[in-house]
Amino acid sequence: MNPEAVLDAALDLLDGGALTMRALATRVGLTPGALYTYFPDRTAIVAALVERLLAEADLGLLENGEGTASARITAFSLNLRETLMRHPAAVPAILGAAFNGPVALRVGESLLGLLPDPRASYAVIAYVLGSIALEAAETSAPLTPEPERIAQRRAAFQVDPETFPRTHAAADAIAGYISTDQFRWGLDHLLTALLADTADRL
């Protein structure tokens, strides 16, 4: 048994919404006491999964990708969204962990290279992770094609047009809140404002 095998099993359990130390020990064929020699608690396991999934995203898109700062941040953000959305049930636990491991710090360092104001970098991180969390909350694995998920969301979204006339009129757009187009739209507008503000300060 090795730590990576333990993390494989932990991610499977998170995907099923049932990660506990006892369940994990059973899954990997260890006693709970033996499991603690690999990870001291559930928090440590989730922190390690954060690092693993961040490492699966293509950080090269951010560090040395082609194009403008906006293009590089957008490319990495889309890649990270794709990576995390392979595990929608695990997203709440993963995004509730501290992002302070070596890979997370490398992401932050690279982002600061493109958005030197740490408040701007934080705003981007908050938008990207928040959008992924909201999308994951309405999604289950395996993912169906995005148009199908949007259509299902639209069919389920019914409001009284007399009580909520503006919401009713915007129903089609609201159904698309979980779409790639919406994710990019919000990120594009945020980055435009943040990068303009950074330029003004130079």
Side-chain angles (χ1 to χ4, degrees):
M1 185 61 60
N2 61 68
E4 289 304 311
V6 174
L7 289 178
D8 287 340
L11 186 55
D12 284 344
L13 288 170
L14 264 185
D15 283 339
L19 173 61
T20 65
M21 296 298 280
R22 184 173 297 278
L24 181 57
T26 300
R27 176 68 65 92
V28 298
L30 296 173
T31 65
L35 183 60
Y36 292 128
T37 65
Y38 295 94
F39 297 97
D41 52 31
R42 185 180 185 277
T43 298
I45 291 170
V46 174
L49 288 174
V50 168
E51 286 285 283
R52 173 191 272 196
L53 292 174
L54 284 176
E56 286 182 12
D58 187 356
L59 187 53
L61 295 169
L62 193 62
E63 291 182 329
N64 48 36
E66 297 181 358
T68 64
S70 179
R72 289 161 63 180
I73 293 169
T74 298
F76 174 74
S77 298
L78 287 166
N79 187 258
L80 178 61
R81 174 175 175 258
E82 180 181 351
T83 300
L84 293 182
M85 285 304 296
R86 295 188 195 117
H87 308 281
V91 164
I94 290 167
L95 297 189
F99 278 58
N100 56 8
V103 180
L105 290 173
R106 187 176 156 201
V107 171
E109 183 75 10
S110 300
L111 189 55
L112 284 168
L114 300 172
L115 283 171
D117 186 337
R119 297 168 299 178
S121 293
Y122 176 75
V124 170
I125 291 170
Y127 172 80
V128 170
L129 296 183
S131 296
I132 293 170
L134 289 172
E135 183 175 356
E138 299 190 23
T139 308
S140 59
L143 289 180
T144 57
E146 187 173 285
E148 291 182 20
R149 288 187 281 128
I150 294 171
Q152 291 169 356
R153 193 170 192 266
R154 178 64 184 90
F157 186 75
Q158 302 293 330
V159 296
D160 182 352
E162 293 187 4
T163 306
F164 306 105
R166 289 181 287 272
T167 303
H168 182 267
D172 288 342
I174 292 170
Y177 282 175
I178 61 170
S179 69
T180 303
D181 284 345
Q182 173 64 44
F183 182 83
R184 292 195 65 140
W185 185 95
L187 187 57
D188 286 347
H189 282 72
L190 178 61
L191 288 172
T192 296
L194 292 175
L195 290 166
D197 182 65
T198 298
D200 289 343
R201 293 171 184 269
L202 296 178

